[in-house]
């Protein structure tokens, strides 16, 4: 039987106006679907006019300007529904969804759905649950004592994955998928016996433990920064911006 990391996977990534999931907006997104390692991926892309100015700092990261988004981007409302529908279709076909730092991208999508569609991400997965594979959570749990940062760029370097065009949603999604496959192979003795559904449940526990550890480190450092233990989606606020 083919192990999950050698089989069909989908991956999701976004580029945004910033890093606050409650107030920032999606400006581009991509879903990459691959049936097996080395096969040609199928890529769906979206470019979004967020309806708010894109800060210069965000443009410096992903290269998307107000001018281009106003000229080529679509309005958020139909795009957010299309993205949610594509993700739900992948779940219904049994494909696990790779999302690097899932609580960011999935929560941001949830808030956009609430903002523009009076909906939520959970509503799209009431009948077929979402099974998420987060390379950051997996790597941090399986190789917890390794020093250094664990951004997508760092993980690609560590697992010898090619990342062409960083901070392009499709390129980042493909790289995250390749990292997950590489993590699966490297830690096959610990992962091969687990199904994506079991891994989804375990990652929620692992992420919560990782968040508690980081919160304790912040406390020792005198920082008031808080770490949300929820994974892969943060609970909705009573009134999202």
């Amino acid at each position: 039987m083919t192990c999950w990391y050698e089989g069909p996977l989908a991956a999701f990534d976004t580029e945004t106006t910033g890093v606050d999931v409650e107030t920032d907006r999606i400006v581009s997104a991509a879903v990459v679907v691959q049936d097996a390692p080395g096969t040609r991926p199928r890529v769906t892309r979206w470019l979004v006019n967020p309806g708010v100015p894109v800060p210069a700092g965000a443009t410096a990261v992903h290269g998307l300007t107000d001018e281009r988004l106003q000229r080529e981007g679509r309005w958020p409302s139909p795009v957010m529904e299309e993205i949610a529908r594509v993700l739900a279709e992948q779940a219904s076909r049994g494909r696990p969804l790779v999302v690097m730092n899932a609580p960011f991208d999935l929560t941001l999508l949830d808030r956009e759905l609430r903002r523009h569609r009076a909906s939520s991400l959970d509503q799209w997965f009431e009948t077929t649950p979402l099974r998420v594979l987060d390379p950051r959570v997996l790597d941090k749990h399986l190789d917890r004592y390794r020093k250094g940062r664990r951004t997508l760029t760092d993980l690609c370097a560590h697992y010898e994955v090619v990342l062409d065009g960083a901070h392009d949603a499709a390129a980042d999604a493909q790289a995250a998928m390749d990292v997950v496959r590489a993590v699966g192979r490297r830690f096959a003795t610990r992962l091969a016996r687990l199904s994506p559904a079991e891994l989804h449940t375990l990652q929620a526990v692992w992420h919560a433990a990782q968040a508690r550890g980081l919160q304790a480190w912040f406390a020792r450092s005198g920082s008031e920064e808080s770490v949300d233990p929820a994974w892969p989606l943060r609970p909705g606020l009573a009134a999202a911006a």
Side-chain angles (χ1 to χ4, degrees):
M1 180 180 294
T2 302
C3 294
W4 58 263
Y5 49 82
E6 302 291 1
L9 294 175
F12 173 61
D13 190 73
T14 67
E15 297 299 329
T16 68
T17 59
V19 297
D20 188 331
V21 295
E22 303 299 342
T23 60
D24 280 306
R25 312 296 174 92
I26 293 173
V27 295
S28 71
V31 172
V32 176
V33 179
Q34 188 181 42
D35 294 327
T39 61
R40 185 180 182 86
R42 301 183 294 281
V43 181
T44 305
R45 304 171 185 263
W46 294 269
L47 198 62
V48 186
N49 180 350
V52 299
V54 180
T59 297
V61 172
H62 50 57
L64 297 171
T65 63
D66 283 323
E67 293 76 14
R68 182 183 174 191
L69 294 172
Q70 290 168 9
R71 183 177 66 252
E72 302 176 21
R74 297 169 57 202
W75 289 113
S77 180
V79 170
M80 300 310 151
E81 182 167 353
E82 287 175 19
I83 294 172
R85 180 178 293 110
V86 169
L87 297 184
E89 287 173 355
Q90 297 309 313
S92 69
R93 293 173 183 173
R95 294 190 185 102
L97 181 68
V98 175
V99 190
M100 173 71 186
N101 191 18
F104 178 78
D105 293 85
L106 294 183
T107 303
L108 193 54
L109 175 58
D110 175 78
R111 302 311 190 254
E112 290 277 52
L113 287 166
R114 293 168 186 264
R115 183 178 293 120
H116 296 291
R117 303 296 302 183
S119 178
S120 71
L121 192 58
D122 283 337
Q123 292 176 17
W124 286 88
F125 299 97
E126 290 176 343
T127 57
T128 306
L130 190 63
R131 305 304 187 194
V132 177
L133 299 170
D134 188 331
R136 186 174 183 273
V137 174
L138 291 170
D139 172 73
K140 196 169 184 179
H141 177 79
L142 294 163
D143 198 1
R144 68 183 69 184
Y145 299 114
R146 189 178 80 249
K147 302 293 185 182
R149 290 158 50 86
R150 299 179 195 247
T151 66
L152 180 59
T153 300
D154 297 318
L155 295 183
C156 286
H158 181 71
Y159 288 99
E160 300 181 343
V161 166
V162 175
L163 173 54
D164 288 328
H167 300 296
D168 169 83
D172 286 356
Q174 180 66 63
M177 182 189 295
D178 292 342
V179 167
V180 162
R181 293 193 190 280
V183 170
R185 295 184 194 110
R186 184 166 300 186
F187 297 98
T189 56
R190 300 168 65 182
L191 295 178
R193 61 183 176 81
L194 297 171
S195 70
E198 291 170 326
L199 271 174
H200 181 100
T201 300
L202 286 170
Q203 284 170 101
V205 176
W206 297 342
H207 178 271
Q210 293 163 9
R212 289 193 297 271
L214 183 57
Q215 190 71 74
W217 185 85
F218 281 142
R220 291 194 299 270
S221 303
S223 171
E224 297 182 357
E225 186 171 352
S226 62
V227 185
D228 195 321
W231 182 97
L233 179 66
R234 296 174 188 168
L237 298 182

